[in-house]
Amino acid sequence: MTVMEQRGGYKPTPPPAWQPRTDPAPLLPDARPYRVLGTEAAAQADPGLLRRLYAELVRGRRYNAQATALTKQGRLAVYPSSTGQEACEVAAALVLEERDWLFPSYRDTLAVIARGVDPVQALTLLRGDWHTGYDPREHRVAPLCTPLATQLPHAVGLAHAARLKGDDVVALAMVGDGGTSEGDFHEALNFAAVWQAPVVFLVQNNGFAISVPLAKQTAAPSLAHKAVGYGMPGRLVDGNDAVAVHEVLADAVRHAREGGGPTLVEAVTYRVEAHTNADDATRYRGDAEVETWRGHDPIALLEHELGERGLIDDSGIQAAREAAETMAADLRERMNQDPLLDRMDLFAHVYAEPTPQLREQQAQLRAELAAEQEGAHR
């Protein structure tokens, strides 16, 4: 007996029974990535959706190839290819309604153009010409985000604000596996779950954060398992199965729109090409690994399903390729035109109200340009 007990000032009581706030079982992802193609479920997929997904995948593959070529010609400063990940890109864009918002990362150019942004404007940031290159409000597409994961809290904030205003809006935020190691990822998921914000987080797990494999980033069973710690559902899907990705994301968007809160979706895919044109992927992975994933190509998987169901023939395949080639030719021609740049645009759209420092810099540049022009006329 303690001294306090002897004096009658303290009597220990058993701790109250503890109960989890949420049953974790329904939040856990499946043990294996969800698939549709190659299973009996594929027969139930909408033929119109299959054809549209296929056309976008073929166009996306050609876009990646053309943009990569433009970097070699000096028309782009850098291009992070998403070859091999086209199913994630296209599905993310197609599940959204017009009123919804897409928050892409720097590798998600295909999702941006599938959302309706002009293919040239989508490359403007990577060209280094002018700000974003497109109007985010017009397309409901946030700027392509180069800093890792900083777009995720933005998506949560927009979705939360929309719900407070009574707007029927869902935000879909895309991020890579490397981005899940950033603090912004954790902050975004925590706030989204606490606020029950209508947000869907899509993690494209392509195996590497530049050269760092996933095993050196996390010891979690899967990235989808991280959802449980925040109190939201986690879904694991085959990221090269366009139909499966579309179905899982559509369910998550519907869940969010109906007030069910956020979902974390991990799409297991693979970056077939290097991180960017400035990267040498052979230094950290072997050819055999890449070839294995080429055998699980998202276009080939969907093309096989279409053929098995009699939904496409050789002429249909050729038509999709020709449409993609027409897009690539237009992109090539327009990107080969030198843009007309106004150096004073450097100060446009930085702040709603320019800061004193910005006005000072603007005046300095204006004076330098005037002096340059005056010197040219002497």
Side-chain angles (χ1 to χ4, degrees), residues 9 28 38 68 77 86 93 96 130 162 174 186 201 225 231 246 307 314 324 360 367:
L28 288 168
T68 300
E86 293 94 346
L96 297 176
W130 179 86
M174 306 176 71
H186 302 279
F201 299 98
H225 277 80
H246 187 277
D314 290 344
E360 180 182 348

PDB file of all heavy atoms in Angstrom, residues 9 28 38 68 77 86 93 96 130 162 174 186 201 225 231 246 307 314 324 360 367:
ATOM      1  N   GLY A   9      -6.086   9.367   0.713  1.00  0.00           N
ATOM      2  CA  GLY A   9      -6.237  10.422  -0.296  1.00  0.00           C
ATOM      3  C   GLY A   9      -6.261   9.927  -1.721  1.00  0.00           C
ATOM      4  O   GLY A   9      -6.463  10.707  -2.643  1.00  0.00           O
ATOM      5  N   LEU A  28      -8.837  -1.725 -44.465  1.00  0.00           N
ATOM      6  CA  LEU A  28      -7.661  -2.411 -44.983  1.00  0.00           C
ATOM      7  C   LEU A  28      -7.800  -2.727 -46.473  1.00  0.00           C
ATOM      8  O   LEU A  28      -8.871  -3.138 -46.929  1.00  0.00           O
ATOM      9  CB  LEU A  28      -7.433  -3.710 -44.215  1.00  0.00           C
ATOM     10  CG  LEU A  28      -6.932  -3.556 -42.781  1.00  0.00           C
ATOM     11  CD1 LEU A  28      -7.027  -4.883 -42.040  1.00  0.00           C
ATOM     12  CD2 LEU A  28      -5.489  -3.046 -42.778  1.00  0.00           C
ATOM     13  N   GLY A  38      -8.483  -9.934 -67.847  1.00  0.00           N
ATOM     14  CA  GLY A  38      -8.025 -11.300 -67.668  1.00  0.00           C
ATOM     15  C   GLY A  38      -8.816 -12.072 -66.642  1.00  0.00           C
ATOM     16  O   GLY A  38      -8.492 -13.232 -66.349  1.00  0.00           O
ATOM     17  N   THR A  68       9.393  13.242 -75.401  1.00  0.00           N
ATOM     18  CA  THR A  68      10.773  12.838 -75.140  1.00  0.00           C
ATOM     19  C   THR A  68      11.685  13.256 -76.293  1.00  0.00           C
ATOM     20  O   THR A  68      12.813  13.726 -76.076  1.00  0.00           O
ATOM     21  CB  THR A  68      10.848  11.317 -74.920  1.00  0.00           C
ATOM     22  OG1 THR A  68      10.039  10.959 -73.793  1.00  0.00           O
ATOM     23  CG2 THR A  68      12.280  10.872 -74.671  1.00  0.00           C
ATOM     24  N   ALA A  77      12.890  21.680 -71.923  1.00  0.00           N
ATOM     25  CA  ALA A  77      14.005  21.634 -70.978  1.00  0.00           C
ATOM     26  C   ALA A  77      14.114  20.257 -70.340  1.00  0.00           C
ATOM     27  O   ALA A  77      15.208  19.737 -70.117  1.00  0.00           O
ATOM     28  CB  ALA A  77      13.805  22.706 -69.900  1.00  0.00           C
ATOM     29  N   GLU A  86       0.399   4.774 -68.347  1.00  0.00           N
ATOM     30  CA  GLU A  86      -0.696   5.475 -69.016  1.00  0.00           C
ATOM     31  C   GLU A  86      -2.071   5.121 -68.449  1.00  0.00           C
ATOM     32  O   GLU A  86      -2.989   5.948 -68.451  1.00  0.00           O
ATOM     33  CB  GLU A  86      -0.681   5.175 -70.517  1.00  0.00           C
ATOM     34  CG  GLU A  86       0.525   5.733 -71.262  1.00  0.00           C
ATOM     35  CD  GLU A  86       1.663   4.743 -71.385  1.00  0.00           C
ATOM     36  OE1 GLU A  86       1.637   3.713 -70.668  1.00  0.00           O
ATOM     37  OE2 GLU A  86       2.587   4.992 -72.182  1.00  0.00           O
ATOM     38  N   ALA A  93      -8.179  10.974 -65.157  1.00  0.00           N
ATOM     39  CA  ALA A  93      -8.870  12.078 -65.827  1.00  0.00           C
ATOM     40  C   ALA A  93     -10.312  11.728 -66.156  1.00  0.00           C
ATOM     41  O   ALA A  93     -11.219  12.566 -66.023  1.00  0.00           O
ATOM     42  CB  ALA A  93      -8.121  12.469 -67.100  1.00  0.00           C
ATOM     43  N   LEU A  96     -13.509  11.819 -63.451  1.00  0.00           N
ATOM     44  CA  LEU A  96     -13.971  13.079 -62.875  1.00  0.00           C
ATOM     45  C   LEU A  96     -15.091  13.708 -63.685  1.00  0.00           C
ATOM     46  O   LEU A  96     -15.114  13.623 -64.918  1.00  0.00           O
ATOM     47  CB  LEU A  96     -12.801  14.068 -62.772  1.00  0.00           C
ATOM     48  CG  LEU A  96     -11.655  13.651 -61.845  1.00  0.00           C
ATOM     49  CD1 LEU A  96     -10.530  14.674 -61.919  1.00  0.00           C
ATOM     50  CD2 LEU A  96     -12.133  13.476 -60.414  1.00  0.00           C
ATOM     51  N   TRP A 130       6.588  30.126 -69.482  1.00  0.00           N
ATOM     52  CA  TRP A 130       5.700  31.051 -68.798  1.00  0.00           C
ATOM     53  C   TRP A 130       4.794  30.311 -67.822  1.00  0.00           C
ATOM     54  O   TRP A 130       3.926  29.548 -68.194  1.00  0.00           O
ATOM     55  CB  TRP A 130       4.839  31.775 -69.854  1.00  0.00           C
ATOM     56  CG  TRP A 130       3.838  32.754 -69.324  1.00  0.00           C
ATOM     57  CD1 TRP A 130       4.066  34.067 -69.035  1.00  0.00           C
ATOM     58  CD2 TRP A 130       2.466  32.521 -69.047  1.00  0.00           C
ATOM     59  NE1 TRP A 130       2.915  34.651 -68.584  1.00  0.00           N
ATOM     60  CE2 TRP A 130       1.912  33.731 -68.583  1.00  0.00           C
ATOM     61  CE3 TRP A 130       1.648  31.405 -69.132  1.00  0.00           C
ATOM     62  CZ2 TRP A 130       0.574  33.842 -68.216  1.00  0.00           C
ATOM     63  CZ3 TRP A 130       0.314  31.514 -68.768  1.00  0.00           C
ATOM     64  CH2 TRP A 130      -0.203  32.729 -68.323  1.00  0.00           C
ATOM     65  N   ALA A 162     -14.915  23.639 -50.765  1.00  0.00           N
ATOM     66  CA  ALA A 162     -16.075  23.382 -51.623  1.00  0.00           C
ATOM     67  C   ALA A 162     -17.222  22.775 -50.825  1.00  0.00           C
ATOM     68  O   ALA A 162     -18.385  23.148 -51.009  1.00  0.00           O
ATOM     69  CB  ALA A 162     -15.677  22.453 -52.762  1.00  0.00           C
ATOM     70  N   MET A 174      -2.928  13.394 -57.427  1.00  0.00           N
ATOM     71  CA  MET A 174      -2.006  12.355 -57.877  1.00  0.00           C
ATOM     72  C   MET A 174      -0.619  12.595 -57.279  1.00  0.00           C
ATOM     73  O   MET A 174      -0.164  13.732 -57.152  1.00  0.00           O
ATOM     74  CB  MET A 174      -1.942  12.353 -59.400  1.00  0.00           C
ATOM     75  CG  MET A 174      -3.297  12.221 -60.070  1.00  0.00           C
ATOM     76  SD  MET A 174      -3.245  12.325 -61.879  1.00  0.00           S
ATOM     77  CE  MET A 174      -2.471  10.762 -62.289  1.00  0.00           C
ATOM     78  N   HIS A 186       1.584  13.248 -45.474  1.00  0.00           N
ATOM     79  CA  HIS A 186       0.980  12.870 -44.193  1.00  0.00           C
ATOM     80  C   HIS A 186       0.031  13.952 -43.689  1.00  0.00           C
ATOM     81  O   HIS A 186      -1.054  13.656 -43.174  1.00  0.00           O
ATOM     82  CB  HIS A 186       2.086  12.586 -43.176  1.00  0.00           C
ATOM     83  CG  HIS A 186       3.029  11.518 -43.623  1.00  0.00           C
ATOM     84  ND1 HIS A 186       2.740  10.176 -43.506  1.00  0.00           N
ATOM     85  CD2 HIS A 186       4.243  11.585 -44.229  1.00  0.00           C
ATOM     86  CE1 HIS A 186       3.741   9.457 -43.989  1.00  0.00           C
ATOM     87  NE2 HIS A 186       4.657  10.291 -44.440  1.00  0.00           N
ATOM     88  N   PHE A 201      -6.930  10.299 -53.128  1.00  0.00           N
ATOM     89  CA  PHE A 201      -5.476  10.331 -53.307  1.00  0.00           C
ATOM     90  C   PHE A 201      -5.080   9.117 -54.150  1.00  0.00           C
ATOM     91  O   PHE A 201      -5.332   7.978 -53.767  1.00  0.00           O
ATOM     92  CB  PHE A 201      -4.754  10.265 -51.956  1.00  0.00           C
ATOM     93  CG  PHE A 201      -5.070  11.398 -51.028  1.00  0.00           C
ATOM     94  CD1 PHE A 201      -6.015  11.238 -50.022  1.00  0.00           C
ATOM     95  CD2 PHE A 201      -4.425  12.615 -51.149  1.00  0.00           C
ATOM     96  CE1 PHE A 201      -6.313  12.270 -49.157  1.00  0.00           C
ATOM     97  CE2 PHE A 201      -4.709  13.660 -50.286  1.00  0.00           C
ATOM     98  CZ  PHE A 201      -5.660  13.486 -49.280  1.00  0.00           C
ATOM     99  N   HIS A 225      -1.817   0.525 -47.258  1.00  0.00           N
ATOM    100  CA  HIS A 225      -2.012   0.262 -45.831  1.00  0.00           C
ATOM    101  C   HIS A 225      -1.851   1.531 -44.994  1.00  0.00           C
ATOM    102  O   HIS A 225      -2.350   1.588 -43.862  1.00  0.00           O
ATOM    103  CB  HIS A 225      -1.025  -0.801 -45.340  1.00  0.00           C
ATOM    104  CG  HIS A 225      -1.467  -2.211 -45.592  1.00  0.00           C
ATOM    105  ND1 HIS A 225      -1.335  -2.820 -46.824  1.00  0.00           N
ATOM    106  CD2 HIS A 225      -2.047  -3.130 -44.769  1.00  0.00           C
ATOM    107  CE1 HIS A 225      -1.809  -4.059 -46.750  1.00  0.00           C
ATOM    108  NE2 HIS A 225      -2.247  -4.276 -45.527  1.00  0.00           N
ATOM    109  N   GLY A 231      -7.388   6.738 -40.763  1.00  0.00           N
ATOM    110  CA  GLY A 231      -8.813   6.517 -40.618  1.00  0.00           C
ATOM    111  C   GLY A 231      -9.588   6.620 -41.912  1.00  0.00           C
ATOM    112  O   GLY A 231     -10.758   7.008 -41.917  1.00  0.00           O
ATOM    113  N   HIS A 246      -9.847   2.516 -63.347  1.00  0.00           N
ATOM    114  CA  HIS A 246     -11.035   3.356 -63.537  1.00  0.00           C
ATOM    115  C   HIS A 246     -12.132   2.957 -62.553  1.00  0.00           C
ATOM    116  O   HIS A 246     -12.787   3.821 -61.954  1.00  0.00           O
ATOM    117  CB  HIS A 246     -11.531   3.225 -64.982  1.00  0.00           C
ATOM    118  CG  HIS A 246     -12.637   4.177 -65.325  1.00  0.00           C
ATOM    119  ND1 HIS A 246     -13.958   3.922 -65.022  1.00  0.00           N
ATOM    120  CD2 HIS A 246     -12.622   5.388 -65.943  1.00  0.00           C
ATOM    121  CE1 HIS A 246     -14.700   4.921 -65.432  1.00  0.00           C
ATOM    122  NE2 HIS A 246     -13.922   5.824 -65.988  1.00  0.00           N
ATOM    123  N   GLY A 307      -9.950  -7.320 -78.321  1.00  0.00           N
ATOM    124  CA  GLY A 307      -9.951  -8.318 -79.378  1.00  0.00           C
ATOM    125  C   GLY A 307     -10.730  -9.557 -79.008  1.00  0.00           C
ATOM    126  O   GLY A 307     -11.481 -10.109 -79.821  1.00  0.00           O
ATOM    127  N   ASP A 314      -8.175  -5.038 -86.632  1.00  0.00           N
ATOM    128  CA  ASP A 314      -6.955  -4.386 -87.107  1.00  0.00           C
ATOM    129  C   ASP A 314      -7.209  -2.959 -87.568  1.00  0.00           C
ATOM    130  O   ASP A 314      -6.386  -2.062 -87.345  1.00  0.00           O
ATOM    131  CB  ASP A 314      -6.340  -5.192 -88.246  1.00  0.00           C
ATOM    132  CG  ASP A 314      -5.750  -6.513 -87.770  1.00  0.00           C
ATOM    133  OD1 ASP A 314      -5.555  -6.655 -86.542  1.00  0.00           O
ATOM    134  OD2 ASP A 314      -5.498  -7.396 -88.612  1.00  0.00           O
ATOM    135  N   ALA A 324      -3.437   9.124 -82.997  1.00  0.00           N
ATOM    136  CA  ALA A 324      -2.329   9.500 -82.125  1.00  0.00           C
ATOM    137  C   ALA A 324      -1.201  10.147 -82.916  1.00  0.00           C
ATOM    138  O   ALA A 324      -0.566  11.103 -82.461  1.00  0.00           O
ATOM    139  CB  ALA A 324      -1.819   8.267 -81.382  1.00  0.00           C
ATOM    140  N   GLU A 360       9.455  46.907 -57.488  1.00  0.00           N
ATOM    141  CA  GLU A 360      10.808  47.442 -57.655  1.00  0.00           C
ATOM    142  C   GLU A 360      11.565  46.678 -58.738  1.00  0.00           C
ATOM    143  O   GLU A 360      12.230  47.275 -59.599  1.00  0.00           O
ATOM    144  CB  GLU A 360      11.554  47.362 -56.321  1.00  0.00           C
ATOM    145  CG  GLU A 360      12.990  47.888 -56.376  1.00  0.00           C
ATOM    146  CD  GLU A 360      13.707  47.739 -55.052  1.00  0.00           C
ATOM    147  OE1 GLU A 360      13.043  47.447 -54.038  1.00  0.00           O
ATOM    148  OE2 GLU A 360      14.945  47.909 -55.034  1.00  0.00           O
ATOM    149  N   ALA A 367      13.394  49.460 -66.963  1.00  0.00           N
ATOM    150  CA  ALA A 367      14.447  50.434 -67.265  1.00  0.00           C
ATOM    151  C   ALA A 367      15.567  49.789 -68.073  1.00  0.00           C
ATOM    152  O   ALA A 367      16.103  50.395 -69.021  1.00  0.00           O
ATOM    153  CB  ALA A 367      14.994  51.025 -65.967  1.00  0.00           C
TER     154      ALA A 367
END
